[in-house]
C-alpha cells in the first residue's frame, strides 16, 4: 500500500476511533456498564428495589425521583450533544494537525476525566437519595442482596477467566 493511501486511511480511521472513545467518556456508551458475563454484577437496579417490599409512599417517592431525573435529562440533552460535538471537533483538529500538541491532548484528556468524575458524583448522589428513602431494615436487606450478587459475579468472573487461561 502506498504511503498516501496509508495516510488517508489513518486520517479517516483515527478520528472515528477517538470520536468513539470521547463519546464513551462523555457518557455515550454508559448503558449496561454494570453488566457482565450475562447478568448484573453489583449495580443498582429496579429488581433489587422490588425485593425490598417498599411501601406505597416509598414507591411514589422513587417514581417522582425517576420522573424528575427524566425531565432533567431532557433539558440537558441539547447541551450535551453540543458539548460532544465541540469535543469531537477539538479531537479531530488535534489528530489531524501537522504536529502533535501534547498540551492540548492533555487538556482534552483532563476534560474527559472531569466529565466522567462529574457523572459519577451525580450517580452517587442519586443513589444516596434513593437509599435515604429506605428504612434501616431495607438498607440491611439491600446490602445483603448486593453481597450475594457480588459473590455470584466473582464466581462467574473466576469461571470465565479460568476458561480463557
Amino acid at each position: 500500500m502506498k504511503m498516501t493511501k496509508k495516510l488517508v486511511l489513518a486520517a479517516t480511521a483515527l478520528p472515528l476511533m477517538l470520536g468513539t472513545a470521547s463519546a464513551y467518556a462523555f457518557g455515550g456508551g454508559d448503558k449496561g456498564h454494570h453488566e457482565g458475563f450475562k447478568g448484573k454484577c453489583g449495580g443498582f437496579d429496579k429488581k433489587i428495589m422490588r425485593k425490598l417490599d417498599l411501601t406505597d409512599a416509598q414507591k411514589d417517592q422513587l417514581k417522582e425521583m425517576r420522573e424528575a431525573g427524566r425531565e432533567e435529562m431532557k433539558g440537558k440533552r441539547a447541551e450535551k450533544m453540543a458539548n460532544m460535538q465541540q469535543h469531537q471537533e477539538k479531537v479531530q483538529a488535534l489528530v489531524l494537525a501537522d504536529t502533535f500538541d501534547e498540551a492540548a491532548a492533555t487538556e482534552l484528556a483532563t476534560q474527559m476525566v472531569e466529565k466522567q468524575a462529574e457523572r459519577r458524583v451525580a450517580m452517587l448522589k442519586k443513589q444516596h437519595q434513593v437509599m435515604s428513602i429506605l428504612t434501616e431494615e431495607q438498607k440491611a436487606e439491600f446490602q445483603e442482596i448486593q453481597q450475594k450478587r457480588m459473590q455470584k459475579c466473582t464466581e462467574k468472573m473466576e469461571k470465565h477467566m479460568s476458561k480463557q487461561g
Side-chain angles (χ1 to χ4, degrees), residues 40-53 131 134 137-153:
K40 293 276 184 176
C41 286
F44 196 91
D45 63 9
K46 291 179 188 177
K47 287 182 181 178
I48 291 180
M49 299 312 273
R50 287 185 190 129
K51 293 179 181 181
L52 297 180
D53 195 31
M131 295 301 287
L134 302 179
E137 294 81 19
Q138 289 170 328
K139 288 178 184 178
E141 189 176 350
F142 177 87
Q143 286 179 314
E144 192 176 308
I145 293 169
Q146 285 286 70
Q147 287 175 346
K148 287 178 184 176
R149 277 186 164 196
M150 288 307 295
Q151 181 63 37
K152 285 182 182 178
C153 182

Side-chain angles (χ1 to χ4, degrees), residues 115-165:
K115 289 287 183 188
Q116 185 177 19
E118 289 171 12
R119 280 193 319 277
R120 298 278 183 202
V121 169
M123 178 188 69
L124 291 171
K125 183 177 180 181
K126 287 178 184 177
Q127 288 179 355
H128 180 266
Q129 289 172 340
V130 169
M131 295 301 287
S132 69
I133 292 172
L134 302 179
T135 64
E136 292 304 316
E137 294 81 19
Q138 289 170 328
K139 288 178 184 178
E141 189 176 350
F142 177 87
Q143 286 179 314
E144 192 176 308
I145 293 169
Q146 285 286 70
Q147 287 175 346
K148 287 178 184 176
R149 277 186 164 196
M150 288 307 295
Q151 181 63 37
K152 285 182 182 178
C153 182
T154 302
E155 290 169 5
K156 286 181 184 180
M157 210 176 328
E158 288 172 354
K159 185 177 178 181
H160 180 76
M161 297 305 267
S162 67
K163 284 182 182 179
Q164 287 184 342

